[in-house]
Amino acid sequence: MRANETAMQIGNGLRGRLSLATAGWGPDLITLAATFFLVALGQGLFNGITTNYYVNDLGLNGQEVLWLTGIREIPGLSLMLIAALIMRLPLSWRTGMSLILMGIGFALYASVHSYLALAAVVIIASIGFHNWMPLSNSLALSLIPKAVAGRTLGALSAISALASILGMGIAGLLAVALPLRTFFVLGGILIVLGGLLIFRVPASIGQESRSQPRMLLKRRYWLYYVLTLFEGSRMQVFSAFGTLILVQEYGLDARQISLLMVISGIVNFLFARRLGHALDLVGERITLTVSYLLLALCLVGYATVHNALFLCAMLVGINLLVTLSIGLSTYVNRIAPAEELTPTLSAGVSVNHISSVGMSLLAGSLLVLVGYEALAWGAAGLIMLSVPFALMIRVPSAPPEAA
């Protein structure tokens, strides 16, 4: 009885937080939020078991997993070109098509039995995923005032975290009973459903009176490009070896990794909206600088302490702090004319992947030679290099007109 009452109290608390976070939202933003939920639910079903699938089912070693991360990031390099080719389509159509491709790619993970086949489906899913990243932010920012951009993106992150909790919880409960391949199929279907749902957002959303440039690289946004370049070089490396080390070095199984991801999702759900509110309150300069310093400390902890529980705690902290990368999107939203927002965010993803591809492949080659501790130290060092640039952020009172 007490367990049921506790569960009801938790459920009421989560509903209350969501009601508060989404107060005043229109139907189009609610549709986008539902899409975020479906996509995160789908990803949650397989995110917690992906490393175990690579290591236990496909027999990959640490080097191959890190190289696969580099392969996965290659489509991000071509995002500027892909974005230019589909720029004339409505924003909601581009977003929906990206999710459908992403869902099909992830569902195909279940069919692979070789490294070459895995690399092929990874690229398919990655093309959709890397288009979804800037387009989802652009669509959200097109639906809200600039003054509440941070808290709204934070609320969407919280909704995604809640869906991830549910997905990873289901995976953790069923990982023993079902083949791991099943979760990729179910997750892919949910992502495709999210892609179909987003077509309900009117095609006029995100359409500007001025024509959007197909490709855009401007000196005005150099600081954004530098910060996103560092973002790719450090976090793609850690995202690959963070859970890999827990599986290979400390023997955590699929259920334990899923439970860890559930805990991480709960922490993100509880705090993501508050972090987004902090962005609106104190600005990107302070928020990003503090987050970079804390991220560096977490990675130093990962490098120096050899205890599975401690490393799990560091992983949870890192996953929370990474949500503040939305500050790069809100920064561009504050300084860019509306017609330059989407192409600038797309260019940012390509710049990000100049470093993330190379660093993932380099880390895969170095992991066996220097160990994961040295990689963690390297990632911490790259984060510290970001701090002076974050301190240079200045936001004008009004965004300049497009040249």
Side-chain angles (χ1 to χ4, degrees):
M1 233 2 227
R2 287 183 179 178
N4 290 336
E5 290 176 0
T6 301
M8 290 179 64
Q9 290 174 354
I10 293 173
N12 290 335
L14 295 179
R15 283 194 294 271
R17 285 178 179 272
L18 280 178
S19 298
L20 181 63
T22 59
W25 285 17
D28 295 330
L29 192 53
I30 291 173
T31 298
L32 180 60
T35 299
F36 268 77
F37 185 89
L38 286 172
V39 172
L41 179 61
Q43 290 179 298
L45 284 173
F46 53 75
N47 274 350
I49 55 91
T50 298
T51 302
N52 296 86
Y53 177 62
Y54 289 162
V55 174
N56 299 329
D57 284 35
L58 298 180
L60 304 187
N61 58 37
Q63 186 180 61
E64 289 172 326
V65 172
L66 283 170
W67 283 350
L68 189 66
T69 301
I71 294 170
R72 184 188 68 197
E73 301 307 317
I74 289 174
L77 287 170
S78 60
L79 186 61
M80 282 181 64
L81 176 60
I82 296 172
L85 292 174
I86 62 176
M87 181 61 70
R88 297 296 180 247
L89 295 175
L91 185 55
S92 58
W93 291 18
R94 285 178 270 160
T95 308
M97 290 188 297
S98 297
L99 285 177
I100 291 171
L101 181 62
M102 173 180 163
I104 292 171
F106 279 124
L108 288 174
Y109 271 51
S111 66
V112 303
H113 296 276
S114 69
Y115 194 77
L116 184 61
L118 178 62
V121 299
V122 160
I123 289 175
I124 293 172
S126 180
I127 292 172
F129 174 74
H130 284 98
N131 274 283
W132 155 252
M133 285 197 303
L135 291 174
S136 61
N137 284 336
S138 295
L139 195 54
L141 293 170
S142 297
L143 294 167
I144 55 178
K146 292 180 185 287
V148 296
R151 70 193 70 180
T152 304
L153 291 183
L156 290 172
S157 295
I159 290 169
S160 295
L162 178 61
S164 294
I165 293 168
L166 180 59
M168 289 182 288
I170 293 171
L173 291 173
L174 300 179
V176 176
L178 295 175
L180 297 185
R181 296 175 186 270
T182 306
F183 298 103
F184 290 101
V185 175
L186 296 176
I189 290 172
L190 287 170
I191 293 171
V192 168
L193 290 176
L196 295 174
L197 179 63
I198 206 65
F199 283 104
R200 293 175 58 88
V201 174
S204 60
I205 298 296
Q207 298 291 98
E208 301 298 330
S209 55
R210 292 188 181 187
S211 177
Q212 292 186 4
R214 285 187 177 271
M215 301 182 73
L216 185 68
L217 278 172
K218 281 192 172 183
R219 182 187 298 180
R220 177 192 301 167
Y221 308 122
W222 74 269
L223 186 56
Y224 166 67
Y225 300 142
V226 170
L227 288 171
T228 198
L229 185 74
F230 280 118
E231 187 83 17
S233 63
R234 62 179 179 260
M235 293 320 300
Q236 289 300 335
V237 175
F238 180 78
S239 66
F241 78 74
T243 53
L244 174 66
I245 296 308
L246 294 173
V247 173
Q248 284 198 327
E249 300 291 330
Y250 295 93
L252 272 65
D253 61 25
R255 292 186 66 179
Q256 291 170 319
I257 293 293
S258 294
L259 176 60
L260 175 61
M261 294 297 102
V262 167
I263 294 171
S264 178
I266 291 173
V267 171
N268 282 12
F269 175 75
L270 293 175
F271 292 101
R273 182 174 176 270
R274 295 181 184 181
L275 294 179
H277 183 70
L279 272 171
D280 292 332
L281 189 64
V282 301
E284 291 81 3
R285 179 172 177 263
I286 295 175
T287 309
L288 287 174
T289 299
V290 172
S291 73
Y292 292 159
L293 293 172
L294 292 176
L295 274 170
L297 286 175
C298 288
L299 283 164
V300 169
Y302 217 91
T304 56
V305 179
H306 298 86
N307 177 276
L309 288 177
F310 181 85
L311 296 187
C312 288
M314 290 299 97
L315 188 67
V316 170
I318 289 168
N319 287 342
L320 174 64
L321 291 168
V322 165
T323 62
L324 279 172
S325 62
I326 62 174
L328 296 177
S329 295
T330 61
Y331 169 56
V332 173
N333 187 47
R334 295 185 202 278
I335 66 172
E339 64 272 13
E340 292 185 0
L341 176 60
T342 298
T344 300
L345 290 175
S346 296
V349 174
S350 290
V351 171
N352 176 292
H353 286 75
I354 292 172
S355 57
S356 65
V357 172
M359 289 301 295
S360 297
L361 296 175
L362 179 62
S365 301
L366 292 177
L367 180 62
V368 179
L369 300 176
V370 302
Y372 76 88
E373 297 92 345
L375 295 183
W377 276 111
L382 287 169
I383 290 174
M384 292 306 296
L385 289 176
S386 304
V387 172
F389 292 100
L391 289 171
M392 295 173 67
I393 290 177
R394 296 291 187 275
V395 178
S397 57
E401 292 294 322

